[in-house]
């Protein structure tokens, strides 16, 4: 946390306060997840000046709002801010005001902006968390300078954010970019959304772990490092273990990333046919694999791109801002509101 400005002094006049040069340049971003609430003061350059964290009382919508307000008040006790941006995992209406549905927060038609503006006396913008993270990567991260970008957040599922002509694309009702639920395998694996064959059932961090556990069970000799990291129990393999094993040259782990890259590249080729972005950015927990993931994804994207060889191909990059992207993006959106 930055220290408050200290009084300056001269021999002639004695102590006098230094002007607050940050006034009007700071906003608070809040990343609201199913387990934690991360709030931070962010300047216009996307730098986090101070932050605080709370556990999310996810089963009680009212207490969740109380916790958000408490975190914001802690920060505003030390910093003057122009507004608050909230990144929430769920469907946010086109007015960026109401969370219509948040499966991990028990929010249903939660009028978040109105309620928190009343409590806190500051302007509030509500945004989908993946949109907020995407905006941060475009403004300050891997996609700086790009105007047409698709950001894919690869974690338990696949989240998405779309920037077209330099603006976040939210759709008519505010719920665009739910790309994880593209139907990529007709009548395929059942998804938590109620459909079958959704992209995230094949191209997510969960899918990576499932593939690794299966490989370790069927071909343990190819998964020696994976099994060593998991204490010999295939069912205990985690995503971090798959990445670590792949870096050590574990054959099964490397094949898992090839498989994940195949599914991601195929889906990205479909998005490219519709949106024609200049860049895809891979974010989320799985992105820590870096080039082990990026390279196979790009190869499959190029192979499946419609009209390949006769059109430019979107770049594929790994996100730069990590877990703080949602907070930074939400704060920047509040600055612009």
């Amino acid at each position: 946390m930055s220290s408050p400005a200290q009084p300056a002094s001269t021999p002639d006049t004695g102590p006098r306060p230094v002007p607050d040069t940050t006034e009007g340049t700071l906003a608070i971003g809040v990343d609201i997840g199913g387990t934690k609430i991360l709030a931070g003061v962010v300047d216009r350059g996307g730098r986090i000046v101070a932050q605080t964290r709370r556990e999310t009382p996810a089963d009680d919508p009212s207490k969740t709002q109380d916790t958000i307000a408490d975190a914001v008040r802690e920060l505003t006790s030390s910093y003057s801010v122009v507004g608050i941006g909230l990144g929430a995992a769920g469907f946010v209406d086109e007015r960026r005001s109401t969370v219509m549905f948040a499966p991990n927060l028990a929010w249903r038609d939660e009028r978040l902006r109105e309620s928190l503006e009343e409590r806190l006396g500051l302007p509030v913008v509500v945004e989908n968390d993946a949109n907020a993270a995407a905006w941060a990567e475009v403004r300050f991260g891997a996609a700086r300078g790009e105007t047409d970008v698709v950001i894919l957040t690869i974690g338990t599922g696949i989240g998405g954010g779309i920037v077209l002509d330099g603006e976040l694309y939210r759709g008519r009702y505010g719920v665009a970019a739910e790309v994880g639920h593209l139907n990529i395998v007709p009548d395929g694996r059942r998804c938590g959304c109620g459909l079958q064959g959704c992209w995230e059932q094949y191209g997510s961090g969960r899918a990576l772990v499932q593939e690794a556990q299966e490989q370790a069970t069927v071909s343990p000799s190819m998964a020696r490092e994976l099994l060593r990291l998991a204490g010999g129990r295939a069912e205990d393999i985690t995503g971090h273990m798959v990445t670590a094993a792949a870096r050590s040259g574990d054959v099964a782990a490397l094949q898992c990333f090839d498989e994940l890259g195949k599914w991601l590249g195929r889906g990205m080729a479909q998005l490219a046919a519709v949106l024609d972005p200049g860049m895809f950015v891979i974010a989320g927990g799985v992105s820590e694999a870096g080039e082990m993931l990026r390279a196979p994804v790009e190869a499959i994207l190029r192979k499946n791109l419609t009209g390949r060889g006769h059109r430019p191909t979107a770049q594929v990059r790994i996100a730069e801002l990590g877990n703080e992207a949602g907070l930074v993006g939400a704060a920047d959106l509040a600055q612009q509101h």
Side-chain angles (χ1 to χ4, degrees), residues 38-297:
L38 189 64
V41 178
V42 181
D43 69 15
R44 286 191 180 275
R47 290 175 290 272
I48 298 173
V49 177
Q51 61 181 299
T52 187
R53 174 179 172 148
R54 302 285 191 279
E55 299 303 309
T56 306
D59 58 347
D60 189 323
S62 178
K63 286 184 179 178
T64 300
Q65 283 202 36
D66 292 341
T67 304
I68 294 167
D70 179 65
V72 169
R73 288 190 186 108
E74 177 187 330
L75 295 171
T76 55
S77 68
S78 300
Y79 296 90
S80 175
V81 302
V82 298
I84 302 161
L86 306 178
F91 290 174
V92 178
D93 73 344
E94 72 276 12
R95 295 178 58 248
R96 293 190 288 168
S97 172
T98 299
V99 180
M100 298 183 289
F101 173 68
N104 297 319
L105 293 166
W107 279 344
R108 303 294 184 269
D109 294 319
E110 194 80 8
R111 298 170 69 179
L112 204 55
R113 184 175 74 189
E114 181 180 301
S115 175
L116 287 173
E117 283 183 343
E118 269 186 34
R119 291 179 184 225
L120 299 169
L122 285 165
V124 173
V125 173
V126 185
E127 187 57 83
N128 170 268
D129 61 340
N131 280 353
W135 184 248
E137 290 293 341
V138 169
R139 289 276 288 136
F140 310 111
R144 286 186 304 275
E146 292 289 328
T147 58
D148 296 87
V149 184
V150 175
I151 287 85
L152 300 174
T153 305
I154 314 298
T156 304
I158 299 178
I162 298 170
V163 174
L164 299 177
D165 293 328
E167 300 288 339
L168 269 172
Y169 179 73
R170 300 180 177 87
R172 169 62 181 85
Y173 303 107
V175 296
E178 290 292 329
V179 295
H181 301 287
L182 287 173
N183 187 266
I184 202 164
V185 180
D187 301 318
R189 296 174 187 165
R190 189 166 296 282
C191 181
C193 75
L195 301 177
Q196 290 177 259
C198 290
W199 191 17
E200 67 178 39
Q201 294 303 308
Y202 301 88
S204 64
R206 182 196 291 122
L208 176 74
V209 170
Q210 289 173 343
E211 179 72 15
Q213 291 174 344
E214 184 176 325
Q215 289 237 27
T217 300
V218 174
S219 304
S221 63
M222 295 173 60
R224 288 174 182 165
E225 181 64 10
L226 264 176
L227 286 167
R228 185 190 71 78
L229 291 171
R233 293 167 54 87
E235 62 270 29
D236 289 342
I237 291 172
T238 66
H240 291 296
M241 291 176 189
V242 182
T243 299
R247 286 185 176 140
S248 298
D250 185 275
V251 174
L254 288 167
Q255 287 183 353
C256 290
F257 277 110
D258 285 343
E259 183 72 7
L260 182 66
K262 177 183 75 176
W263 288 110
L264 287 175
R266 286 177 176 175
M268 287 160 63
Q270 292 187 23
L271 290 173
V274 177
L275 299 171
D276 189 30
M279 182 182 293
F280 286 98
V281 176
I282 301 173
V286 174
S287 69
E288 73 176 21
E291 192 64 13
M292 290 187 302
L293 177 61
R294 195 206 68 79
V297 166

Side-chain angles (χ1 to χ4, degrees), residues 304-320:
N304 288 272
L305 191 65
T306 179
R308 68 182 185 274
H310 302 284
R311 57 175 288 181
T313 304
Q315 299 179 63
V316 179
R317 290 188 182 173
I318 298 295
E320 295 179 359

